[in-house]
Amino acid sequence: MKRSLPILVAGVIILMVINISWAFEVDPLSALPISTNEKNLLYFEINDVSIITNILNGNWFKNLAINVGNLSQKELKNVKTAAMMINRNVKEASCAIYFRKKINPKPDFFIIIKTHGNALQIIKASGVKLQKVKRIYRIDMEDKKIYAYFGNDYVMLSNNEKALYNIVDPLRLGLRFIWKTKAPRGLKGLIPAHKKPQVYLYLRMRNKLTPRKISILEGKGRDEKTRFIFDLRAIEPREGLKNLVCEGKLPPISPPGKGKIILMGAVPVSGDKIISTIKNTLPKRKKGEIDKLYKALSTNENELSKFLTGKLYLVVGGNANILGTNFTGIYAYYLSEMNQNELKAFLKRAMGSVMKRAKNGGFFKEERKVGWDLFYSAVMPVDLTLGVRGKELILGLIPPSDLDFRMVLPPDICEEIGEPASPWAYLSLKELKELIPKFVILAKNFNSDKETINNIRKLSFLIPPWRGILFTTKDPAHARFQILYR
C-alpha cells in the first residue's frame, strides 16, 4: 500500500499534465508556413475592427454600394448587419498572402479572425453555410471554395485545402507540437516582433530593382480622430529609396500656374541613378534602346545624366484647354542642376532633333515669349507648353497666359510637409471630386458612349469625404501617409 500511494499520486499528476497539454492551443499565427525564397509574403493585421465598421456604416460607403456596387436596400441592410456582428464578435483579424512575381499559380492566403466567443457558433449564427470535411469545414461561395478550421476563439480561412490540413494538426496537438519542435515556428520566422498598433503591415519580396536582395517593408497605422497616420519603414535594403532618388531638401514651392491645386508632389532625381536603373531593368534584347534614345535627343549619357539631376514637381490643377474643352492643368515643373546656358542649349538641340525626326514637325512649334529663354507651344488647339527660364523647365497642359501667376498650397499643408529630404505629395480630395464634371464634358466632346460617360460620373462616388491625402518622408527609409479627415 505504501508503494502504491506514490504511484497513484504520480499517475494523477501525469494525467493532469496530459489534460493540460491537450487543452492548450498553439497561437494560430505560429503555425503559418514560412515563405521560401521563391515566394513573396504580404502580411497584415487589423487590431481595431471599429475601423472596418466605421467605414461600412458611413454614408460614403452607402452611396458607393448603391451607385457603384448596385446593391439593393436589402443587400445594404445585410452589410450593416455584418458590420454590427463584426463589431460585436471580432477581436482582430490578420491575413498572410504568399505569391510569386507572376501571380500564377494563384496566391495562397490564410486569414485568421480572433473572436470574443466561440468562433464556430458565431459563424453559424451569421447564416454562413458550412460543410464539414474531416477536421475542417468547406464554405461554397459561388464558383469558389474557402476552407475553414475553427479553434476555441478563432477561425482560420484559406483557399488552399492541403496547406490548411498541414497546419491543423500542429494547432490541435498544442504542447506536443512545442515539445517536438522545441519552440513554435512562431512569428520570429514570419514577421518581426511588434507592438500591436491598430493596423500592421509586413511585406517581404524580391523585385527587379534589387534582384539579389529581399526587400522588406513594415507599416504601422493609427487613428487620431482628425487624421489616420500610417508609417512605412524599409527594413531591407536599409537605404530605402536611395537607389532611385538623390539627397536634397524639397520644401513646398509656388510653381507657375493659376487656380486651385488638386495634386502636387515633389521628388529629387539623380540622372546617374535613373540611367543605371533603366539599364538594370531592361531585358538583354532591348539594351540597345537607350543608345537609340541618345541618338534621338542628339545627346550622350553624361549630358542626359546631368539634365536628369534636379528637383521635379508634378502639378495637377488650374485650367487648360483641350480641343475647345475647359479641363484641368497637368504639368511638370523641373529645377535642373544644369546651368542656364547648358539647359537652353541641350533642350534646343534635343527639341530640334525630335521635331526633325517627327512627321510634319511633330506637336510643337517654337515661339518667343517675354521672360523665357526658350518656349514651345502645341500646333493643335491644346494648351500644351514647354518652356525654359533660367534653370526652370515647365512641360505639360498649362495655358501660356497662366505662366505669369503662381500656384499655392494651403499654408497648414506646407507646414506639415516641412522640408523633407525625399519625395512628398498632397492630393486634395475635395478638388478631385470637383474635377469629375470636367471629365464628363471632355468625354462627351470626344463622342464617348453612354456607358463610358456613366462610369466616369460614378467616379465621384469612389472619392471618400475626406479633405485630402498627404505623403511625406524625412529620410529614404521612412515614409508617412496621412488621411486628413477635415
Side-chain angles (χ1 to χ4, degrees):
M1 184 69 182
K2 288 182 180 180
R3 289 183 180 179
S4 61
L5 186 61
I7 293 170
L8 181 64
V9 171
V12 171
I13 292 170
I14 290 168
L15 187 62
M16 286 174 64
V17 170
I18 290 171
N19 285 335
I20 291 168
S21 71
W22 282 97
F24 178 84
E25 276 197 303
V26 177
D27 184 335
L29 288 177
S30 68
L32 286 177
I34 297 168
S35 62
T36 63
N37 289 337
E38 290 128 13
K39 283 189 177 181
N40 302 315
L41 165 67
L42 170 64
Y43 174 86
F44 61 90
E45 294 178 2
I46 299 175
N47 295 307
D48 183 356
V49 295
S50 66
I51 293 171
I52 299 172
T53 53
N54 288 341
I55 292 172
L56 294 179
N57 286 319
N59 286 328
W60 168 57
F61 181 81
K62 179 181 176 181
N63 290 330
L64 181 67
I66 293 172
N67 294 291
V68 180
N70 297 319
L71 263 67
S72 65
Q73 289 292 339
K74 184 179 179 181
E75 290 169 324
L76 190 62
K77 191 176 179 180
N78 292 338
V79 171
K80 300 289 182 186
T81 304
M84 183 183 69
M85 289 194 68
I86 289 170
N87 203 37
R88 183 186 297 170
N89 297 306
V90 177
K91 282 183 184 176
E92 56 191 61
S94 54
C95 181
I97 301 171
Y98 297 95
F99 61 98
R100 298 178 186 273
K101 285 180 187 175
K102 294 179 180 177
I103 312 295
N104 190 16
K106 291 179 181 178
D108 294 334
F109 68 78
F110 301 90
I111 301 171
I112 299 164
I113 301 171
K114 294 187 178 180
T115 57
H116 288 292
N118 185 278
L120 181 57
Q121 291 176 4
I122 290 168
I123 295 293
K124 283 183 175 178
S126 70
V128 174
K129 292 182 180 179
L130 302 170
Q131 185 174 343
K132 192 161 187 181
V133 185
K134 296 181 182 177
R135 296 185 300 277
I136 65 175
Y137 289 83
R138 191 182 75 208
I139 305 170
D140 294 322
M141 299 180 69
E142 295 179 359
D143 59 335
K144 296 178 183 177
K145 291 179 175 63
I146 295 177
Y147 301 91
Y149 170 75
F150 291 91
N152 289 333
D153 60 353
Y154 69 86
V155 56
M156 181 183 282
L157 306 168
S158 180
N159 62 335
N160 189 324
E161 182 182 11
K162 185 178 178 182
L164 188 58
Y165 266 119
N166 291 337
I167 293 170
V168 166
D169 283 338
L171 287 172
R172 289 172 65 250
L173 296 180
L175 288 178
R176 182 180 168 188
F177 169 64
I178 296 174
W179 172 76
K180 279 180 75 176
T181 59
K182 295 186 179 178
R185 286 183 293 167
L187 298 179
K188 267 191 177 179
L190 186 68
I191 57 171
H194 64 282
K195 292 180 181 178
K196 286 195 171 184
Q198 289 171 312
V199 175
Y200 179 81
L201 177 141
Y202 180 79
L203 174 66
R204 183 172 65 207
M205 65 182 294
R206 293 182 181 274
N207 57 59
K208 288 185 177 181
L209 297 178
T210 56
R212 295 182 183 178
K213 293 181 181 178
I214 295 176
S215 296
I216 301 176
L217 295 174
E218 182 181 56
K220 297 180 181 181
R222 65 187 186 277
D223 188 85
E224 293 194 349
K225 294 183 180 179
T226 61
R227 64 187 66 196
F228 184 85
I229 298 174
F230 189 80
D231 289 304
L232 193 64
R233 181 169 67 99
I235 299 174
E236 292 292 341
R238 294 181 187 276
E239 61 271 18
L241 298 174
K242 276 187 179 177
N243 62 328
L244 289 178
V245 300
C246 60
E247 298 292 340
K249 297 289 185 181
L250 272 173
I253 58 166
S254 301
K258 185 181 180 182
K260 294 180 179 179
I261 290 174
I262 297 171
L263 168 70
M264 185 170 171
V267 58
V269 290
S270 164
D272 288 343
K273 290 173 181 176
I274 291 171
I275 292 172
S276 175
T277 301
I278 292 171
K279 285 180 177 178
N280 291 335
T281 54
L282 275 176
K284 286 183 179 179
R285 66 181 184 278
K286 293 190 175 180
K287 291 293 182 185
E289 295 294 321
I290 196 161
D291 293 321
K292 292 180 183 178
L293 175 64
Y294 298 146
K295 190 175 181 181
L297 296 175
S298 295
T299 187
N300 55 52
E301 185 171 319
N302 288 337
E303 187 179 42
L304 185 61
S305 175
K306 195 171 182 180
F307 168 70
L308 291 175
T309 301
K311 297 172 183 177
L312 177 65
Y313 291 80
L314 176 67
V315 182
V316 178
N319 299 289
N321 182 281
I322 302 177
L323 302 177
T325 303
N326 184 33
F327 196 62
T328 186
I330 304 172
Y331 54 95
Y333 177 66
Y334 183 56
L335 302 173
S336 177
E337 291 298 311
M338 274 184 161
N339 66 43
Q340 181 176 350
N341 294 329
E342 286 178 325
L343 183 60
K344 180 182 176 182
F346 167 75
L347 274 171
K348 191 169 181 65
R349 184 170 11 95
M351 285 297 294
S353 178
V354 170
M355 291 167 73
K356 187 177 179 181
R357 288 168 177 268
K359 291 181 180 179
N360 303 319
F363 290 104
F364 286 103
K365 59 183 177 182
E366 188 173 356
E367 293 183 355
R368 292 180 63 83
K369 183 168 174 61
V370 176
W372 290 79
D373 304 324
L374 200 62
F375 197 83
Y376 296 86
S377 63
V379 175
M380 298 173 68
V382 175
D383 285 332
L384 185 60
T385 298
L386 189 157
V388 176
R389 180 174 57 189
K391 297 175 74 170
E392 299 175 286
L393 183 147
I394 194 160
L395 171 63
L397 291 171
I398 180 172
S401 58
D402 286 0
L403 294 173
D404 299 327
F405 300 89
R406 291 283 176 177
M407 300 283 276
V408 180
L409 281 169
D412 62 322
I413 298 298
C414 290
E415 187 178 339
E416 189 79 38
I417 293 169
E419 290 192 359
S422 288
W424 61 263
Y426 171 66
L427 172 65
S428 171
L429 294 173
K430 181 185 174 185
E431 305 300 338
L432 181 63
K433 196 161 190 173
E434 291 178 1
L435 177 63
I436 304 299
K438 291 185 178 181
F439 264 114
V440 172
I441 294 169
L442 189 67
K444 285 180 177 179
N445 288 352
F446 278 93
N447 297 318
S448 299
D449 57 76
K450 286 184 179 180
E451 185 180 356
T452 300
I453 292 169
N454 286 333
N455 287 335
I456 293 172
R457 284 198 179 103
K458 287 181 179 180
L459 291 175
S460 62
F461 296 108
L462 294 173
I463 302 170
W466 306 324
R467 179 188 178 189
I469 298 172
L470 180 62
F471 167 79
T472 53
T473 52
K474 295 301 180 186
D475 64 70
H478 292 81
R480 170 170 284 189
F481 296 86
Q482 297 185 63
I483 295 173
L484 309 173
Y485 299 143
R486 52 182 181 271

